[in-house]
Amino acid sequence: MSARATLATARRVLAQLRRDHRTLALLLVVPVLLLTLLSYVYDGQPQVFDRIGGPLLALFPFTTMFLVTSVAMLRERSGGTLERLLTTPLGRGDLLVGYALAFGLVAILQTALASGVALGLLGLDLAAGPSLVVLLAVLDALLGMALGLFLSAFARTEFQAVQFLPAFVLPQLLLCGLFAARATMAAPLRWLSDVFPLTYAVDGMQELTRTAAVTGHLAWDLAVVAGASVLCLALGALTLRRRTS
């Protein structure tokens, strides 16, 4: 890997995002609007908003980053950009880490904006401080980005890339413990939820709603989310094809 090539990739991706106003709106504005809508849905039940709003700060960055990065990488391949880039000294690791840096910066901005609005204007009350909330939300966004980059290798069209959202994200959403406690689920579903990385992202946010301390439980959730992100990036480098046939 080359630091120069990695940074050049990150700058190129950021320049493309800056020109794509719709994608920027999806990444930066939509999570804030959805959290605002949720706060009005539970306007008379602030305790319910506090219980659900925290985990959604993990879900929104994960979902939007998954969608955007899977489509963006598919466009690189189907348009021939990736094929041209990989004929240069740019390696697969340079490309994926460059993407991670670019979208990591966007993730920090996204989560800082969403968390600032939720914790400030909307009155979301979490036990933990804003720094821990933003840290976990950024890790969740990077997890969505890494999973999107990995799964994009198995899509041939943008429509197929979008189909991965219900196929791979919705099952995790249903089993992550947001709608029902995982302890009450049937054993096979509980075992399956133990494998899903989104479970630990939501569990970490639920832990932050209960305590301000960095517990061993929270540290495990953070480690799993970060480890799953690194694993997905590594698998993405192994499965990265130059072109979609």
Side-chain angles (χ1 to χ4, degrees):
M1 286 180 56
S2 165
R4 182 176 180 180
T6 300
L7 292 176
T9 299
R11 285 194 297 268
R12 180 178 63 83
V13 173
L14 287 173
Q16 291 174 342
L17 284 174
R18 189 171 61 247
R19 294 191 297 268
D20 191 343
H21 298 158
R22 291 185 180 87
T23 298
L24 284 178
L26 174 65
L27 292 173
L28 302 180
V29 179
V30 170
V32 173
L33 293 178
L34 291 176
L35 285 168
T36 303
L37 176 62
L38 185 70
S39 72
Y40 281 104
V41 169
Y42 294 109
D43 189 39
Q45 301 173 284
Q47 71 281 0
V48 178
F49 177 61
D50 293 338
R51 178 172 58 85
I52 297 178
L56 288 182
L57 279 175
L59 290 173
F60 290 154
F62 174 89
T63 304
T64 55
M65 284 294 179
F66 175 88
L67 181 61
V68 169
T69 53
S70 59
V71 172
M73 180 55 72
L74 182 66
R75 285 179 178 176
E76 296 270 47
R77 294 201 320 271
S78 61
T81 303
L82 182 59
E83 186 175 19
R84 291 192 296 271
L85 287 172
L86 292 182
T87 60
T88 70
L90 180 74
R92 298 183 181 189
D94 297 321
L95 180 68
L96 289 179
V97 174
Y99 259 82
L101 287 176
F103 280 102
L105 291 175
V106 176
I108 292 173
L109 181 59
Q110 179 194 54
T111 54
L113 181 61
S115 300
V117 172
L119 298 173
L121 296 179
L122 302 180
L124 179 64
D125 187 16
L126 301 180
S131 57
L132 278 176
V133 174
V134 172
L135 172 62
L136 181 53
V138 168
L139 287 177
D140 298 337
L142 291 176
L143 174 62
M145 174 216 66
L147 187 60
L149 290 176
F150 168 53
L151 291 177
S152 69
F154 304 99
R156 294 189 175 184
T157 65
E158 292 182 19
F159 181 65
Q160 290 180 355
V162 172
Q163 287 176 324
F164 285 136
L165 185 65
F168 288 91
V169 175
L170 290 187
Q172 296 190 60
L173 178 61
L174 294 175
L175 299 179
C176 68
L178 180 62
F179 299 106
R182 292 194 300 128
T184 66
M185 296 178 184
L189 295 181
R190 190 166 61 251
W191 298 334
L192 188 59
S193 71
D194 288 339
V195 179
F196 288 153
L198 190 58
T199 297
Y200 301 90
V202 171
D203 188 63
M205 278 297 183
Q206 290 174 334
E207 183 73 7
L208 294 180
T209 66
R210 295 188 290 265
T211 177
V214 181
T215 63
H217 190 104
L218 176 62
W220 171 249
D221 289 331
L222 291 170
V224 171
V225 173
S229 301
V230 174
L231 177 61
C232 286
L233 281 177
L235 292 174
L238 292 175
T239 58
L240 187 62
R241 301 195 305 265
R242 294 189 177 202
R243 188 176 182 88
T244 297
S245 57

